[in-house]
Amino acid sequence: MIQAERRLYLIRALLDEQPDYKNMEVPAEVSEQRRLLRSLFNIRTPRPVSREFLKIQDAYLQQAIVEKGITDISSLSPVGKGMYLWKGDITTLRCDAIVNAANSRMLGCFAPCHGCIDNVIHTYAGVQLRLACAELMERQGHPEETGRAKITPAFNLPCKYVLHTVGPIVSGRLTALEEKQLASCYASCLELADRKGVKSLAFCCISTGEFHFPPQRAAEIALAAVEEYKAETNSIIGGTGMISKSWMESPSGKTS
């Protein structure tokens, strides 16, 4: 089965799950099909799916990521001891783990084709990621606290794990509490990664998008938090700072 056939199968299977969209006409344009598929992935609630669906979905997403171009962390040049700076598509980075800037529900972004990193990571990891997050949150029984972190498999991404952390939402003047919460996001991820045996961890720019944390100050806090953790623990984790955007409808995976 080629990518076009996989894409049409996935679209039709997901439309069949939605009574309101069951008879929707599938667009002929490839770009519109990709956008529709991403939208259907995004709005799908966490629930079981057939093995056949997963087999075809996994083949489709893995090929889509290959077409965007995978970057191996070993090909990057460090800017400091165990520290890297990379601008790119986080869903194409091959390393032990990546960090997702999540919200307190921890289920991913349900807005079709939204530009946040939470949406992109859940899209390319596959429907299994939302289900895994839902199971974690059901066991926890309450929304995730700001500054904490959870870990899941990465499923179809080229990394092994995804760490999900909830950053502070800045709605006015930046406060000391919000700065402390952001630092806690980095420390929580590093502690959890160490416990899991992660050797390379790629951070996104937590809270600087939809949560409106000032980027310059966020970068300063991120570097200080990572350096402080490594100094205190002698951790051998290699950290990667990055800015990332990715779009299902843009197979080239170019940043924007």
Side-chain angles (χ1 to χ4, degrees):
M1 185 179 287
I2 62 175
Q3 282 293 82
E5 293 170 332
R6 293 175 183 135
R7 184 170 55 250
L8 288 174
Y9 168 89
L10 294 171
I11 288 172
R12 291 179 179 127
L14 292 169
L15 286 174
D16 285 345
E17 291 183 340
Q18 304 285 341
D20 293 341
Y21 306 140
K22 192 170 184 179
N23 297 318
M24 178 183 290
E25 184 177 348
V26 178
E29 290 291 328
V30 171
S31 62
E32 290 302 311
Q33 288 180 6
R34 291 193 182 108
R35 186 170 182 84
L36 175 58
L37 178 56
R38 178 171 176 173
S39 298
L40 292 169
F41 277 142
N42 296 158
I43 66 173
R44 187 180 191 272
T45 56
R47 59 185 183 275
V49 67
S50 71
R51 290 183 179 180
E52 181 183 12
F53 180 94
L54 290 179
K55 181 180 178 180
I56 295 173
Q57 176 214 244
D58 293 355
Y60 180 82
L61 292 175
Q62 290 167 25
Q63 180 62 30
I65 292 170
V66 168
E67 290 173 359
K68 290 197 296 178
I70 294 174
T71 298
D72 196 296
I73 193 171
S74 64
S75 69
L76 303 180
S77 299
V79 295
K81 187 177 180 180
M83 297 284 288
Y84 301 78
L85 181 64
W86 182 68
K87 182 178 180 179
D89 179 348
I90 199 170
T91 66
T92 65
L93 188 64
R94 180 178 286 121
C95 57
D96 279 359
I98 64 172
V99 173
N100 176 31
N103 57 52
S104 61
R105 291 181 66 196
M106 296 286 280
L107 296 180
C109 172
F110 284 83
C113 298
H114 193 255
C116 68
I117 195 169
D118 200 14
N119 187 295
V120 173
I121 287 174
H122 273 266
T123 296
Y124 282 94
V127 299
Q128 303 97 310
L129 183 57
R130 179 165 285 167
L131 183 58
C133 288
E135 290 171 352
L136 283 175
M137 297 310 291
E138 185 176 0
R139 289 198 298 270
Q140 179 165 285
H142 59 79
E144 184 74 354
E145 297 176 18
T146 302
R148 303 293 295 275
K150 292 281 190 295
I151 190 168
T152 64
F155 299 102
N156 290 293
L157 300 175
C159 56
K160 299 175 183 176
Y161 304 105
V162 177
L163 284 85
H164 310 261
T165 189
V166 181
I169 300 173
V170 178
S171 57
R173 185 185 296 273
L174 185 64
T175 67
L177 174 60
E178 290 160 347
E179 291 187 338
K180 183 178 180 181
Q181 289 173 329
L182 183 62
S184 179
C185 288
Y186 288 92
S188 295
C189 287
L190 288 163
E191 291 169 4
L192 185 53
D194 258 337
R195 291 202 302 269
K196 199 68 176 178
V198 168
K199 297 298 186 293
S200 55
L201 175 62
F203 284 102
C204 62
C205 300
I206 301 166
S207 278
T208 57
E210 295 298 313
F211 287 4
H212 307 298
F213 203 107
Q216 178 65 36
R217 184 60 186 138
E220 294 167 354
I221 292 170
L223 287 172
V226 172
E227 289 172 349
E228 181 180 352
Y229 178 84
K230 295 184 77 171
E232 290 179 352
T233 63
N234 294 317
S235 174
I236 61 172
I237 294 177
T240 302
M242 67 179 61
I243 303 170
S244 171
K245 279 195 175 181
S246 173
W247 309 94
M248 176 69 94
E249 62 270 23
S250 176
S252 63
K254 293 179 180 179
T255 55
S256 58

